[in-house]
């Protein structure tokens, strides 16, 4: 991607980045998670840190990057879980909880990403 950007005379590119450890902290808002650091001062998340080592910087959180909407039966099928009542549920390996509304037969998952700027 960087080569294409350079060939087109641009000096930077923006990349949507999905932090690789965020699923371990699904209740932590992305805005907080991206401020976590290692003892050395590098970003805590390994994938964010990889971009950071390539001289990229975090621009902002895209808090509603991906929406996955379905009915309750679909979500039960997809997750192997049961959702007997409306509420907020933790899904294994999801970055955020899923919202279940049994009465409306709706489930909604909204996943955040972050935008990082790579300087070329």
């Amino acid at each position: 991607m960087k080569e294409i950007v350079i060939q087109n005379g641009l000096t930077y590119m923006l990349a949507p980045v999905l932090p690789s450890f965020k699923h371990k902290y699904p209740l932590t808002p992305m805005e907080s998670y991206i401020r976590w650091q290692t003892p050395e001062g590098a970003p805590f998340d390994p994938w964010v840190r990889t971009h950071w080592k390539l001289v990229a910087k975090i621009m902002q959180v895209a808090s509603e990057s991906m929406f996955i909407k379905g009915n309750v039966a679909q979500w039960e099928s997809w997750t192997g879980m049961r959702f007997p009542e409306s509420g907020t549920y933790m899904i294994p390996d999801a970055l955020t909880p899923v919202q279940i509304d049994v009465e409306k037969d709706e489930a909604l998952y909204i996943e955040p990403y972050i935008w990082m700027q790579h300087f070329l």
Side-chain angles (χ1 to χ4, degrees), residues 5-52:
V5 172
I6 291 169
Q7 289 171 0
N8 284 282
L10 302 172
T11 57
Y12 67 89
M13 70 177 194
L14 298 177
V17 176
L18 179 63
S20 58
F21 276 10
K22 176 67 174 80
H23 70 280
K24 296 180 180 191
Y25 307 92
L27 297 178
T28 302
M30 185 69 86
E31 292 80 4
S32 297
Y33 179 79
I34 62 172
R35 289 194 306 269
W36 295 359
Q37 296 183 341
T38 65
E40 299 77 32
F44 167 78
D45 186 87
W47 189 232
V48 174
R49 190 168 51 249
T50 297
H51 285 263
W52 177 79

Side-chain angles (χ1 to χ4, degrees), residues 48-101:
V48 174
R49 190 168 51 249
T50 297
H51 285 263
W52 177 79
K53 287 178 182 177
L54 296 170
V55 197
K57 73 174 191 172
I58 296 172
M59 298 301 293
Q60 71 180 45
V61 172
S63 57
E64 298 181 346
S65 290
M66 180 170 55
F67 288 76
I68 303 174
K69 190 173 185 177
N71 62 42
V72 176
Q74 286 173 313
W75 273 89
E76 287 179 342
S77 170
W78 297 337
T79 63
M81 296 173 65
R82 291 250 320 140
F83 305 111
E85 61 184 47
S86 297
T88 302
Y89 289 85
M90 304 302 299
I91 306 296
D93 298 323
L95 275 59
T96 60
V98 65
Q99 301 298 318
I100 303 291
D101 188 327

